[in-house]
Amino acid sequence: MLDAASIVFGERGYTGTTTDAVAVAAGVSQAYIVRTFGSKEALFAETAGRALSRIEAVFRQAAAPDSSAGDTVQERLGRAYVDLVADRGILLTVMHLFTLGHHDTFGSLARDGFLSIYRLLRDEIGLTPQEAEGFLAKGMLINTMLGLRLPDVVTTEPDAGELIACVLEDATEEVVTLTTGHRPLGSAARNSN
Amino acid sequence: MLDAASIVFGERGYTGTTTDAVAVAAGVSQAYIVRTFGSKEALFAETAGRALSRIEAVFRQAAAPDSSAGDTVQERLGRAYVDLVADRGILLTVMHLFTLGHHDTFGSLARDGFLSIYRLLRDEIGLTPQEAEGFLAKGMLINTMLGLRLPDVVTTEPDAGELIACVLEDATEEVVTLTTGHRPLGSAARNSN
DNA sequence: CCTTGTTGTAATCAACTGAACACAAGTCAC
DNA sequence: GTGACTTGTGTTCAGTTGATTACAACAAGG
């Protein structure tokens, strides 16, 4: 049920999501959703909290240099971010949470979650504030492009493809395939050799 | 009325905004809002379109090197962005638009608007794709922090202040004052000399 | 058997919300 | 002054939505 909620909240945001839509996605009744979590607010709080925890866990794991040496922390963080993209819903749910700063209930939750990630990057992973800023900025740009569904139009909008490739570099194909299901432009020619 | 709509949509997003809330903010009746613009969808389309136009106009103006020489395009663009922050609602309305990629009506409007800004930076202002990416990323980070209302807690959360200062540098004080109305931490000591 | 608790649904309700309608007041042309 | 048009409001309505309640199926324990 939380998985379904994550996907639906990620697509439509908090106010745009009905408990019925989550119920349909989860394959249960709307009444059951509401009774299980108490309210729509509580459901979103739990969904968003889980998404934040997952992001932090993935970053923490990327910080541990247990993988084959030779790559920098930044590179490991970048690959970790691509893994997060695969988990459809998490990044977009958090992005929607970040637009709720004015909300009575979720405002502080959103700020705490954001600052918690910043502290994780700075204190545990050891990035400088400038490095953390750059990483966060790139992440916000990726989240925005995901919210725009820019990968969907990569075949019809060459500029979208250029920008995505510029941001994601080697991970472009993987992300486009993950988020659209179809084969990205030009990959066939490159792979068929 | 569009000014009021921009503020309200920027705070609560498209689905979170009622036509009545816009009407109250504009000082007219709800019926008048709906009849003037035809529908809530049309109102948001016009509000978001105006916000996009304003952003593009400000960037275009920053590109023209009519101001005193010696500063780079990047610096002029940065100052232009701070000007946009002052216009409460514009950046946040556009940010909400950018989360509507899945929407039947606004999805393509959002993608077109975003790509239009990218093309403006690249073709008219002459940034390389990498420079444009960096500028957009920083912009998305600023938008996110505005949506979080991070400047509001700058006095109680030192890390928020650090991050904001890291992103905005010289413009920190100006932005915090603009978005909160109160005096940012430490500005009194620095100004009272 | 029977009580208790869990899992789940159908039906219903009250509040909210976008939209429509009728109508009033003013303005302007002629 | 009178018909037409604009500006604007009060009222009402139908659809949506979060939440509640009553109820069914089922397992477990004693």
Side-chain angles (χ1 to χ4, degrees):
Chain A
M1 293 173 55
L2 283 173
D3 288 340
S6 175
I7 293 173
V8 180
F9 277 128
E11 275 183 356
R12 318 197 191 192
Y14 173 63
T15 53
T17 295
T18 66
T19 55
D20 189 63
V22 176
V24 169
V28 295
S29 68
Q30 179 261 346
Y32 192 51
I33 291 279
V34 172
R35 214 194 39 186
T36 302
F37 296 94
S39 67
K40 182 188 171 186
E41 274 204 1
L43 169 62
F44 182 68
E46 196 162 334
T47 305
R50 212 180 61 139
L52 283 170
S53 300
R54 178 111 182 85
I55 291 173
E56 293 183 15
V58 168
F59 285 174
R60 234 182 283 268
Q61 192 188 1
D66 52 4
S67 54
S68 61
D71 50 356
T72 68
V73 181
Q74 313 258 5
E75 287 169 349
R76 287 202 300 275
L77 278 175
R79 280 199 300 276
Y81 210 91
V82 174
D83 291 342
L84 285 174
V85 174
D87 210 327
R88 193 168 194 103
I90 285 193
L91 289 175
L92 289 180
T93 295
V94 170
M95 204 60 184
H96 279 289
L97 174 67
F98 288 166
T99 66
L100 294 178
H102 79 285
H103 193 281
D104 294 332
T105 307
F106 300 129
S108 54
L109 176 67
R111 285 184 289 273
D112 289 349
F114 182 81
L115 289 176
S116 176
I117 292 175
Y118 172 64
R119 292 193 195 99
L120 170 65
L121 293 171
R122 188 194 56 185
D123 301 335
E124 294 189 43
I125 304 200
L127 299 186
T128 67
Q130 286 75 21
E131 288 169 340
E133 175 216 322
F135 181 75
L136 282 175
K138 203 169 209 174
M140 296 304 116
L141 178 57
I142 293 174
N143 291 350
T144 304
M145 295 195 304
L146 291 176
L148 280 167
R149 291 189 179 269
L150 226 49
D152 287 2
V153 298
V154 81
T155 56
T156 58
E157 291 274 6
D159 293 331
E162 175 183 291
L163 182 55
I164 291 176
C166 183
V167 176
L168 296 173
E169 301 179 9
D170 297 336
T172 302
E173 270 191 41
E174 182 182 353
V175 167
V176 173
T177 307
L178 277 173
T179 55
T180 63
H182 67 66
R183 196 149 285 272
L185 190 65
S187 72
R190 217 180 311 155
N191 288 343
S192 63
N193 288 345
Chain B
M1 292 174 57
L2 283 174
D3 288 339
S6 175
I7 293 174
V8 180
F9 277 129
E11 275 183 356
R12 316 198 191 191
Y14 173 63
T15 53
T17 294
T18 65
T19 55
D20 189 63
V22 175
V24 170
V28 296
S29 68
Q30 179 261 348
Y32 191 51
I33 291 278
V34 171
R35 212 194 40 185
T36 302
F37 296 94
S39 67
K40 184 187 169 186
E41 272 205 2
L43 169 62
F44 183 69
E46 194 161 336
T47 305
R50 211 180 60 141
L52 284 170
S53 300
R54 178 109 182 86
I55 291 173
E56 292 182 16
V58 168
F59 285 173
R60 234 181 284 267
Q61 191 187 3
D66 52 3
S67 54
S68 62
D71 51 356
T72 68
V73 181
Q74 313 260 3
E75 287 168 349
R76 286 201 301 275
L77 278 175
R79 280 199 298 278
Y81 210 91
V82 174
D83 291 342
L84 286 174
V85 174
D87 210 328
R88 192 166 194 102
I90 286 194
L91 289 176
L92 289 180
T93 295
V94 170
M95 204 60 184
H96 278 289
L97 173 67
F98 288 167
T99 66
L100 294 178
H102 78 285
H103 194 281
D104 294 333
T105 308
F106 301 128
S108 55
L109 176 68
R111 285 183 289 274
D112 289 349
F114 181 82
L115 289 176
S116 176
I117 291 175
Y118 172 64
R119 290 192 196 100
L120 170 66
L121 293 171
R122 188 194 57 186
D123 300 337
E124 294 189 42
I125 304 200
L127 299 187
T128 67
Q130 285 76 20
E131 289 169 339
E133 174 216 323
F135 181 75
L136 282 175
K138 203 168 208 175
M140 296 303 117
L141 177 58
I142 293 174
N143 292 350
T144 303
M145 296 195 303
L146 290 177
L148 281 166
R149 291 188 178 271
L150 226 49
D152 287 0
V153 299
V154 82
T155 56
T156 58
E157 292 274 5
D159 294 331
E162 175 184 290
L163 183 55
I164 291 176
C166 183
V167 176
L168 296 173
E169 300 178 11
D170 296 338
T172 301
E173 270 190 42
E174 183 182 353
V175 168
V176 172
T177 306
L178 277 174
T179 55
T180 64
H182 67 65
R183 195 150 286 272
L185 190 66
S187 74
R190 215 178 314 152
N191 287 343
S192 63
N193 287 346

